[in-house]
């Protein structure tokens, strides 16, 4: 097979795949970093954050214990605590605020919420991690988080609301695949459905935060 013929086959294959791929509406196209910052400064968005980085190796979660019993679950690592504090400092520098912050009561989430947003956060079991061996399996956890989204939907036209939870439940309820410490930004409709706006790590906004601080001096 000649090299030219091979390249033509590759080009045709790529074109076919692209033609078959579903097109996304404009609302599903993620905003660039600067536009995302401006959108968050205006408000009216849902910030969904997976807890920051955890210990490696770590203990398993013991669901027979209370969710605030930190010695019976996986906890933030030193890097995770530092990353959450950095994200909080960046948000303050950029005047990104959340009028309401709701966290899973598990320690790694509550600590992330406190480091990022301050002490004025709520705990809600509907954001808890699923119990793989108990009655609250992933289907129950998804349903409970969806109930929370529907409950929040009518009340956030001009303000940001932040949720801090766990990766598996967040994915099932919103479709967001988040790494530890990553944040997804959604618009929440009145029926509780969501529209994707963007996704970022706090450190992604670092250059913008430094510029904002320099301009304020």
């Amino acid at each position: 097979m000649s090299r030219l013929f091979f390249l033509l086959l590759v080009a045709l294959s790529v074109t076919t795949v692209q033609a078959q791929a579903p097109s996304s509406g404009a609302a599903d196209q993620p905003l660039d970093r600067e536009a995302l910052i401006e959108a968050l400064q205006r408000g009216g968005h849902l910030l969904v954050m997976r807890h920051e980085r955890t210990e490696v190796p770590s203990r398993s979660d013991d669901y027979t214990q209370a969710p605030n019993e930190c010695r019976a679950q996986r906890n933030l690592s030193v890097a995770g605590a530092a990353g959450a504090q950095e994200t909080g400092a960046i948000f303050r520098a950029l005047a990104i605020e959340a009028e309401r912050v709701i966290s899973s009561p598990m320690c790694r989430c509550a600590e992330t919420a406190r480091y990022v947003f301050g002490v004025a956060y709520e705990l809600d079991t509907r954001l808890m991690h699923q119990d793989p061996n108990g009655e609250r399996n992933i289907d129950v956890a998804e349903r409970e988080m969806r109930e929370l989204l529907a409950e929040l939907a009518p009340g956030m036209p001009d303000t940001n609301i932040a949720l801090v939870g766990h990766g598996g439940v967040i994915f099932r309820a919103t479709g967001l695949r988040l790494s530890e410490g990553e944040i997804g930004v959604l618009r929440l409709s009145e029926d509780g459905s969501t529209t994707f706006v963007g996704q970022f790590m706090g450190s992604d906004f670092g250059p913008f935060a430094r510029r904002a601080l320099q301009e304020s001096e």
Side-chain angles (χ1 to χ4, degrees):
M1 181 185 296
S2 71
R3 179 176 175 80
L4 178 59
F5 183 65
F6 174 76
L7 291 174
L8 285 172
L9 282 178
V10 171
L12 286 171
S13 299
V14 171
T15 302
T16 301
V17 170
Q18 288 177 338
Q20 293 174 346
S23 59
S24 300
D28 292 326
Q29 295 297 322
L31 299 180
D32 62 35
R33 297 289 183 243
E34 194 158 10
L36 189 55
I37 290 169
E38 292 173 356
L40 291 173
Q41 290 169 335
R42 289 194 301 270
H45 292 84
L46 184 70
L47 288 81
V48 182
M49 182 174 190
R50 185 179 177 186
H51 59 77
E52 255 287 0
R53 288 158 290 175
T54 50
E55 299 165 329
V56 179
S58 65
R59 62 177 66 84
S60 300
D61 296 322
D62 182 354
Y63 291 95
T64 67
Q65 303 295 314
N68 63 349
E69 179 50 76
C70 299
R71 293 173 296 181
Q73 57 190 264
R74 192 168 93 247
N75 294 307
L76 293 185
S77 64
V78 173
Q85 292 176 70
E86 179 187 28
T87 297
I90 287 170
F91 279 6
R92 289 190 293 275
L94 293 172
I96 294 173
E97 300 177 350
E99 182 171 293
R100 189 175 180 190
V101 179
I102 308 172
S103 172
S104 160
M106 298 187 79
C107 296
R108 56 186 178 270
C109 292
E111 290 180 358
T112 298
R114 175 165 56 86
Y115 285 135
V116 175
F117 299 102
V119 297
Y121 61 90
E122 308 167 39
L123 300 178
D124 195 313
T125 56
R126 289 175 291 182
L127 290 172
M128 274 189 65
H129 198 287
Q130 73 274 10
D131 180 353
N133 301 311
E135 294 182 359
R136 193 175 185 279
N137 57 33
I138 186 64
D139 294 324
V140 174
E142 177 189 353
R143 184 176 70 246
E144 290 186 351
M145 185 170 177
R146 287 185 181 275
E147 289 172 355
L148 175 59
L149 293 177
E151 180 182 299
L152 294 173
M156 55 173 305
D158 301 314
T159 61
N160 293 322
I161 295 177
L163 304 180
V164 184
H166 306 269
V169 184
I170 290 171
F171 172 68
R172 285 288 294 268
T174 68
L176 289 169
R177 292 186 182 274
L178 301 178
S179 301
E180 292 185 335
E182 195 170 17
I183 302 170
V185 182
L186 303 172
R187 283 197 298 272
L188 189 58
S189 301
E190 289 189 3
D191 62 357
S193 61
T194 58
T195 301
F196 180 67
V197 177
Q199 190 167 325
F200 66 97
M201 297 291 292
S203 58
D204 293 336
F205 288 176
F208 301 95
R210 286 190 289 273
R211 185 174 68 190
L213 291 172
Q214 291 170 354
E215 291 174 351
S216 65
E217 291 177 352

